[in-house]
Amino acid sequence: MSERLSAGDTAPDFTLPDADGNDVALKDLRGKNVIVYFYPAAMTPGCTKQACDFRDSLDSLQAAGYAVLGISPDKPAKLAKFRERDGVTFPLLSDPDKEVLQAYGAFGEKTMYGKKVTGVIRSTFVVDPEGKVAIAQYNVKATGHVAKLRRDLGL
């Protein structure tokens, strides 16, 4: 089980391919607030709901100075299908080796349908312009999470 991050920790840097295979690096977004969220699998009901909530809130998040990145273990080709199917308008990044998921504490043991399993822990982080974790939220709900995050951010 990877260690969990807390507010004030340095956000682990990463470079991951997006749905088109282009590298996206967190360090290239220094100077901006970045919402990094981890989700288990593209094209599943909960992950679709969460991605669509971020998509529908993107204009107001960007107007408040926030960029959004979604990360899952899916390959870029699946992310491209997800983006096209659901009109996702922010980068979806591929972490098939789960190295970034583990660096953020977003992969490990969790309870699913009453059973202990190992997998992606639905998590959201807000990284400040200096690269520090401002908010770290683990085991978030797919539905209603973006609205709660917006309240937490005062938006």
Side-chain angles (χ1 to χ4, degrees):
M1 175 97 169
S2 37
E3 205 167 302
R4 292 193 167 190
L5 298 175
S6 300
D9 290 345
T10 298
D13 265 325
F14 58 81
T15 301
L16 292 171
D18 67 9
D20 298 315
N22 300 312
D23 283 347
V24 175
L26 182 62
K27 70 180 184 317
D28 292 343
L29 296 169
R30 287 287 184 275
K32 293 183 179 181
N33 289 297
V34 183
I35 297 167
V36 180
Y37 83 95
F38 295 91
Y39 61 98
M43 316 269 281
T44 58
C47 297
T48 297
K49 173 71 175 135
Q50 187 177 22
C52 290
D53 281 354
F54 272 113
R55 176 200 66 203
D56 294 347
S57 295
L58 191 61
D59 287 345
S60 65
L61 289 168
Q62 287 176 332
Y66 292 88
V68 176
L69 301 173
I71 301 176
S72 76
D74 298 303
K75 299 265 193 260
K78 186 173 182 187
L79 296 177
K81 286 180 187 168
F82 186 37
R83 177 189 63 199
E84 301 311 316
R85 186 191 77 177
D86 294 299
V88 177
T89 51
F90 55 87
L92 297 173
L93 308 182
S94 173
D95 184 21
D97 298 331
K98 302 174 185 76
E99 289 175 12
V100 177
L101 283 154
Q102 291 174 2
Y104 278 76
F107 187 85
E109 192 174 272
K110 62 181 184 175
T111 303
M112 203 161 110
Y113 306 114
K115 293 185 176 150
K116 294 258 187 233
V117 297
T118 299
V120 176
I121 299 164
R122 192 181 303 275
S123 308
T124 299
F125 303 86
V126 177
V127 180
D128 74 15
E130 288 76 47
K132 297 282 188 193
V133 175
I135 295 174
Q137 298 176 334
Y138 291 92
N139 296 308
V140 302
K141 302 286 182 223
T143 303
H145 170 61
V146 176
K148 180 189 180 311
L149 181 62
R150 290 171 52 80
R151 285 192 304 274
D152 293 348
L153 294 171
L155 303 177

